[in-house]
Amino acid sequence: MDAILSAIGQYHPVTQALLATLFTWGVTALGAAVVFFFREIRQEVLDAMLGFAAGVMIAASFWSLLAPAIDLSERISTLPGWLPAALGFMGGGLFMAGVDKVLPHLHPGLKMEEAEGVSTNWRRSVLLVLAITLHNIPEGLAVGVAFGAVAHGLPAASIGAAVALAVGIGLQNFPEGTAVSVPLRREGFSRRRAFWYGQMSGAVEPIAGVLGAWAVMTMQPILPYALSFAAGAMIFVVVEELIPESQQAGNTDLATIATLAGFTLMMSLDVALG
């Protein structure tokens, strides 16, 4: 593992962020490829997958983003260590709330009249993709910021922690790809079209990742804010979307256990590699 981390460390941080988010996008595509083998997935399985994704994002928000943000702010800022993290965290959540109100999107399993955002005549397939794309933005941003932070040589930001975050985000992207492609297949889309839409939901991650890495590399003072901003954005997605969706079919215990499993896995990855 040390050899792998050393090899990754030889690349420029923006390149690292690009490669990492291409990996997370690839896992989204892998999840979308499930549609080539199954027309439907049992609701219990989908709920467990969504719960698992929520657990990963909760753990990543603290261990990979908030905790380093507090530590970094104590080192590079004259403000109390908790203040930049608190401001960034709330800023990330409010930003996602604003995007959620504006960007037209439709969560899987809901009717067209339950679409969120501004009113539009866009097709159901586009709205479904945008729903997943919406929370892939903070995921890509989080990975990019984590790799960009490593460039500053601060103890709280390590290449191992950034890699752990990318792996964790990648793992929880698998059910997200499936959550788009399988419902589209069930609605009559061809397998190829359903796969295409499913994998496209992850295309925004490399863009957000590169922008995040570039921003924190060029402006070190914003680093604690950027890390906690990404954390707040991810927690908003978890509470507003992933947990409610995983529970709405009544598989509450299963989804909750899966959330704990996702949290445990991400926590273990971050502690082991970070």
Side-chain angles (χ1 to χ4, degrees), residues 21-69:
T21 47
L22 286 174
F23 161 75
T24 60
W25 181 12
V27 180
T28 303
L30 193 62
V34 168
V35 77
F36 289 113
F37 306 97
F38 302 98
R39 184 183 179 89
E40 294 188 18
I41 291 184
R42 293 182 60 180
Q43 189 62 46
E44 296 92 333
V45 175
L46 188 57
D47 289 345
M49 294 168 75
L50 291 172
F52 178 85
V56 168
M57 291 178 70
I58 293 170
S61 295
F62 177 74
W63 269 277
S64 298
L65 299 170
L66 268 180

Side-chain angles (χ1 to χ4, degrees), residues 37-262:
F37 306 97
F38 302 98
R39 184 183 179 89
E40 294 188 18
I41 291 184
R42 293 182 60 180
Q43 189 62 46
E44 296 92 333
V45 175
L46 188 57
D47 289 345
M49 294 168 75
L50 291 172
F52 178 85
V56 168
M57 291 178 70
I58 293 170
S61 295
F62 177 74
W63 269 277
S64 298
L65 299 170
L66 268 180
I70 294 171
D71 186 48
L72 289 171
S73 64
E74 291 175 343
R75 294 174 182 273
I76 67 176
S77 174
T78 58
L79 297 172
W82 56 268
L83 185 56
L87 292 175
F89 185 82
M90 289 302 301
L94 292 173
F95 171 78
M96 288 304 298
V99 174
D100 189 67
K101 294 293 184 184
V102 174
L103 182 68
H105 61 284
L106 177 67
H107 297 300
L110 299 183
K111 300 177 181 178
M112 279 293 290
E113 54 267 26
E114 297 178 276
E116 300 179 22
V118 298
S119 179
T120 180
N121 58 359
W122 292 353
R123 298 173 61 182
R124 178 181 178 87
S125 57
V126 175
L127 296 178
L128 285 169
V129 173
L130 288 177
I132 303 298
T133 302
L134 181 62
H135 58 77
N136 280 336
I137 295 173
E139 293 169 11
L141 178 65
V143 173
V145 168
F147 278 101
V150 177
H152 294 291
L154 299 169
S158 69
I159 189 69
V163 169
L165 177 60
V167 171
I169 294 298
L171 289 174
Q172 64 91 44
N173 274 359
F174 186 93
E176 292 179 355
T178 305
V180 176
S181 63
V182 171
L184 289 178
R185 174 61 179 160
R186 193 164 53 236
E187 292 182 13
F189 279 63
S190 69
R191 286 186 170 87
R192 184 174 297 180
R193 286 188 65 204
F195 166 76
W196 173 255
Y197 281 115
Q199 64 85 28
M200 279 302 295
S201 66
V204 71
E205 291 196 5
I207 300 172
V210 168
L211 289 176
W214 173 82
V216 300
M217 283 190 65
T218 55
M219 296 173 283
Q220 183 182 16
I222 74 166
L223 184 51
Y225 298 93
L227 287 166
S228 52
F229 181 95
M234 290 212 297
I235 290 297
F236 177 90
V237 169
V238 169
V239 177
E240 194 271 342
E241 181 179 339
L242 292 182
I243 289 179
E245 284 187 18
S246 70
Q247 304 270 337
Q248 67 183 2
N251 300 307
T252 55
D253 287 346
L254 176 62
T256 301
I257 294 299
T259 301
L260 296 176

